[in-house]
Amino acid sequence: MGEQLRRLAAPAGSRAEDRLSRQAAAHTEVRVKLAASARMGLTDVEAALARMDEGRYGACHLCRRPIDVERLTIVPQARFCAPCQQVKEARP
């Protein structure tokens, strides 16, 4: 509560600077998360390419059954068939 009162009592210029600082921090956070997501995506694609080279592409990592072609068309880097993916996502 005291922090809020301090911000409200601050001169308008200071409040604007605070707002700009918060916006810059938010933009930085978004950029960092996007970069991490891109790295994860690249890692997944590279792993799928390695599975292709090894002759293991399209086989589920859990049940070892083939992953449906429709799923691989949508998610080419998929490691799990749809049922195993659902089980994996349901775990905490």
Side-chain angles (χ1 to χ4, degrees):
M1 179 80 126
E3 176 65 22
Q4 289 176 333
L5 289 175
R6 187 189 61 74
R7 282 189 206 155
L8 290 173
S14 178
R15 288 193 305 256
E17 289 171 8
D18 285 349
R19 188 180 78 245
L20 290 174
S21 178
R22 287 192 306 274
Q23 285 176 341
H27 287 170
T28 299
E29 182 179 353
V30 168
R31 283 194 303 272
V32 167
K33 287 183 179 184
L34 285 173
S37 178
R39 281 191 300 276
M40 285 175 42
L42 180 58
T43 299
D44 288 345
V45 169
E46 288 173 340
L49 291 171
R51 290 193 301 276
M52 283 180 176
D53 290 343
E54 297 163 358
R56 297 182 301 116
Y57 179 76
C60 177
H61 280 225
L62 289 179
C63 70
R64 304 291 182 216
R65 284 181 258 165
I67 300 171
D68 289 335
V69 174
E70 295 83 13
R71 177 163 169 73
L72 289 173
T73 300
I74 296 167
V75 186
Q77 71 276 19
R79 295 175 188 226
F80 306 101
C81 64
C84 288
Q85 183 70 42
Q86 289 175 344
V87 168
K88 188 176 178 301
E89 289 176 0
R91 293 180 186 161

